[in-house]
Amino acid sequence: MEVVNVVIPPLPSPYTYLLPERLAAHIQVGCEVEVPLGSRSVVGYVVPLPDGHEVSTKFELKPISRIRRVHPLFLKSQLEFFQWVADYYAESLSSVIETAIPPPVPQKFEHYLSLVAQDLTPDRKPGKVEQQILSVLQAQPEPISLRILAARIKGARPAVKRLVERGLVTMREQEILDQHLLSVEVPSWAKTEVTLSEAQQAALNEVRSAFTSGKYSPFLLDGVTGSGKTEVYIEAAREVVATGRSVLVIVPEIALTPQLIDRFRARLGTELAVLHSGLHPRVRWDGWRALLEGRCHIGIGARSAVFAPLHNLGLIIVDEEHDSSYKQQEGLRYHARDLALVRAKMNSCPVILGTATPSLETFSNVANKKYGYLRLSSRPGTTLPPTIEVVDLNHVKPWEMKSRSVSPKLYDALASTIAAGNQTFILYNRRGFASYLQCERCEEVVKCPNCSVTFTYHKNNHSLVCHYCGTHAVPPSTCRECESLSTKSSALPANLLQRGSGTERIYDELRELFPDVSMDRLDRDAVTDGDQYRRILDRMRSGETSVLVGTQMIAKGHDLPGVTLVGVVDCDVGLHMPDFRAAERVFQLLTQASGRSGRADKAGQVILQTRVPKHPSIVSTEAHDYRSFALAELETRKMLRYPPFSRMLRIVASSAEKSLGGATLEQFARELDDLRESHGIKCSVLGPCAAPIEKIKTLWRWHLLVKSSSPKEINFVVRTLQLRRKKSKQVRVIFDIDPQEML
Ligand code: ADP
Ligand code: ZN
Ligand code: ZN
């Protein structure tokens, strides 16, 4: 009997099973099967046997019990990629497969009936119900669904069964699929045709010749928001699909970019398979299957789409490549942009990384000539970049402020924008109302009981929310420390001061300043699904909303032509985080946000409020000077040997016991010293020390940073520490390779 290998999550290595003859014809790589494991029956996925595999005779092999569905869940051609991912991130193939495939949903079938022949002389007179069914079928040339028939005629199911048995009627079973693939109507604003500008054409030409050459060719497509990058994506995709190859489009957060999907649909007039975890599982699964079965040639989705089962991949597009949400922060901690490059290499095809603010990693790859450089230097038409003004809040007296957070300059700009009938984005990159509550008498700050962070006060529903673990709490009626009492139970105690701010509070302030103006809010509290997001943006597009207040969500790639003013209430949010990428992130956010202002015929204006006007992130944003920012920042990184000048590994150990994580990491540091001696490892080690957020979800956290010049060395370090580590239930250890998160 033949044998097959089966990966059984979460077990790390595959197991070998016998393949019974009755199943042999149906089995293929990627099939979901049921196999016995000990005394249990478990689910696994068929993978190829390694070359030169010898069946061990030590154990008696058991047979596969059953194939759970006839079609595979992934393609054989994907396995090389899956294995690469597993090796690079020091994870098992099984955890990669689990991360890659969407949760399978049960298959649904519909039964269709048709008449065998028109003029039958039945051997027996059909019963009343049977007669009814026959006449329905006679009247209708197309097969009819049993479900619909049964809804119309009582007792139809047993009657149909009899008719089928007597050979008068045939029944065909068909799987129900794709009910949602094209269900969204293409909106009227989506352009159906454009003529590319010279710069766009030049970029397209480069991608085309790279594609024709059949070589791995990474490109940075550098263009400010609105410079027409998406049009280049669409045209490149069109050409690649026309040659019969497929295209993968990855975006930072798909719930935030329904417009992009609409534009691809409007222009290409073909189906797109949309893949992301926010979709209904059925819809997501249908999209996955459409790609798997080659019914669809363009896959579009967020981070996890990098694993999509595309046949004959010919082009990958990573939009907003700098976005840190491309890094998965739990489980398999992969970076979708990095993996897109790996996949493109395996498929010998071009990959386009688009952005106005390249990550420093990408910027230095361009500088080192590893990536091609495509540039769209201006917006189509005559639009100029927006004028950017910085308001130094140190020089505005408190009594001059129009409200807590609105300076006279921002106020005047808002007033004239509103008067001119134009629209405004107001960015404040923190949600909620007050960032924390503090007792006026004893200065005690109200904290989440599970984490070492303050509770954020949300006024809308009068609740305290921890933005790290999601704990909700009712605001206290007394200060726990000094027991100052509240007078009214529904309000906050008078001594609990609302410190800091959030989008809710900014919204309230603006409402008071401009009571007759229609305003809306866009942040993770206002938006819980893609539809809500679409509605908020649609109200903006139709002009119904005049001022939109929001977090970084408003800075993400939308194309809203009516916005002529962008106000950043506090540029300094996030600037002083203990993270070597803090300055880069703030620069990106400010530049992206600024890019929302002004389109086509309307000049844009940007107002940045800050207390550190000399900070490079702010100076460079004001000067529209990405290059100077990048070069200066790279200089610092080089000095400190931070990425892109090194590879990094962050090890986080957490435990309910305060010191245990630290002790584990001390042990790791000693092992690393050992490895330096015994294996000539050259990595440098920072820490261990308590993580900047010391406690999350009741666990105390410690971290250790490792910098090395080679990814191989990092990989070796992880594998060795994993092996040498004394297993302990009390300490949870995470190895984060190429970390994006330092808190
Ligand atoms: P980006 O992706 O760089 O943000 P978009 O591709 O969304 O830029 O382009 C911004 C706007 O300009 C869109 O409405 C787009 O349709 C339009 N546009 C881009 N290129 C052209 C062109 N060559 N001709 C006409 N309109 C264009
Ligand atoms: Zn918490
Ligand atoms: Zn107090």
Side-chain angles (χ1 to χ4, degrees), residues 352-365:
I352 308 175
L353 310 179
T355 178
T357 52
S359 63
L360 290 182
E361 285 83 353
T362 297
F363 178 81
S364 69
N365 279 324

Side-chain angles (χ1 to χ4, degrees), residues 191 194-197 200 223-231 263 380 559 599:
K191 292 193 182 70
V194 302
T195 313
L196 294 187
S197 69
Q200 287 170 320
V224 296
T225 320
S227 60
K229 295 186 295 296
T230 307
E231 300 298 340
R263 283 173 65 184
D559 175 26
R599 277 292 153 98

